[in-house]
Amino acid sequence: MGNFFKNKIIWIVGASSGIGEALALKFDQLESKVILSSRRENELERIKELSLHPENIKILPLDLLDSASFKEKTEQAFSLFGTIDYVFINGGTSSRGYVSDTVMEVHQRIMDLNYFSYVGLTREILPFFKKQGNGHFVVTSSVMGKIGSLCRSAYAASKHALHGFYDCLRAEVAEDNIRVTILTPGYIITNISLYTLTADGSPNRKESKNIDSGLPAGMAADQIIKAVGKNKNEAFIGKKFRAEHFSLYLMRFFPDVLHKVVRKFKPE
């Protein structure tokens, strides 16, 4: 695996923490050339300082809510190393709140950040991949992109939308030698719960028992790199045989059972 990704050019969007940061450090160990993007340039600099091969890392600040900048940022990204082999689109946030309580501004912000930003950035990247005759999109969705449960309507809707869009894209670009991998993580140990939007749009600022007992981000990055190396169309990332993993099985084979189970499962 290390030899496979050596000198490959990787653009990680949403690289300043969590899964994105873990991927950046793993690819650095694999001697890939890595472009790091997020709003927080200081955090990207911190990650570069932690790297073993800082000469192979470029920093390109990017705000996923600033769609007007995507064309220029994409051009800059492809110019940094002359090409890009893999684009990991990983940024986003979650939500907590019953449908009856969640204000429309939360739904709109979640869709803008978790879905429309991905679509807009992908549309700018796609011509470059087509011109060079190859490329690989790796998109972070969620188990909630496959199921729905209490208090997650805005988040689940945004992740469901990603599956519809990227499944269609995969079918359209297969003959162009362009790959699409959708990641469906379960609970991964990150700080996402602190920034999750509540029903009124304020940040949650609370720890999550489920997330705190999840898979460490570094181990998640190992699973992701393995799945991408195998050109998986879709891959579950997380601890197997836990509730979130089992829910995918139920959704596929016993959806009526799952729909009854999730009525009692409130995010913690």
Side-chain angles (χ1 to χ4, degrees), residues 62-64 66-74 117 120-121 124:
L62 182 149
D63 184 347
L64 282 173
D66 182 15
S67 59
S69 71
F70 289 174
K71 186 176 190 299
E72 179 183 359
K73 294 294 185 178
T74 300
S117 68
L121 193 57
E124 296 298 341

Side-chain angles (χ1 to χ4, degrees), residues 101-113:
D101 299 329
T102 303
V103 299
M104 276 305 300
E105 288 78 7
V106 170
H107 288 281
Q108 290 165 348
R109 183 174 177 82
I110 292 290
M111 287 299 292
D112 284 343
L113 183 56

Side-chain angles (χ1 to χ4, degrees), residues 57-187:
I57 293 181
K58 304 290 186 182
I59 290 175
L60 179 64
L62 182 149
D63 184 347
L64 282 173
L65 290 175
D66 182 15
S67 59
S69 71
F70 289 174
K71 186 176 190 299
E72 179 183 359
K73 294 294 185 178
T74 300
E75 291 172 350
Q76 292 176 5
F78 275 83
S79 70
L80 289 173
F81 291 109
T83 187
I84 293 174
D85 299 301
Y86 297 86
V87 175
F88 288 74
I89 311 182
N90 177 67
T93 193
S94 187
S95 65
R96 297 284 190 278
Y98 289 100
V99 172
S100 57
D101 299 329
T102 303
V103 299
M104 276 305 300
E105 288 78 7
V106 170
H107 288 281
Q108 290 165 348
R109 183 174 177 82
I110 292 290
M111 287 299 292
D112 284 343
L113 183 56
N114 289 6
Y115 174 68
F116 286 116
S117 68
Y118 284 48
V119 173
L121 193 57
T122 295
R123 292 186 71 254
E124 296 298 341
I125 294 166
L126 191 56
F128 286 87
F129 276 176
K130 285 189 173 183
K131 183 176 180 180
Q132 68 189 28
N134 62 79
H136 197 145
F137 292 100
V138 186
V139 181
T140 301
S141 177
S142 167
V143 168
M144 295 302 299
K146 308 290 283 186
I147 67 171
S149 65
L150 298 176
C151 299
R152 305 297 292 277
S153 58
Y155 181 67
S158 69
K159 295 300 186 178
H160 274 68
L162 288 179
H163 285 262
F165 177 81
Y166 284 100
D167 282 346
C168 291
L169 177 66
R170 185 188 298 110
E172 291 178 8
V173 300
E175 294 185 0
D176 297 309
N177 196 33
I178 298 171
R179 302 284 306 184
V180 176
T181 297
I182 304 175
L183 308 173
T184 58
Y187 291 114

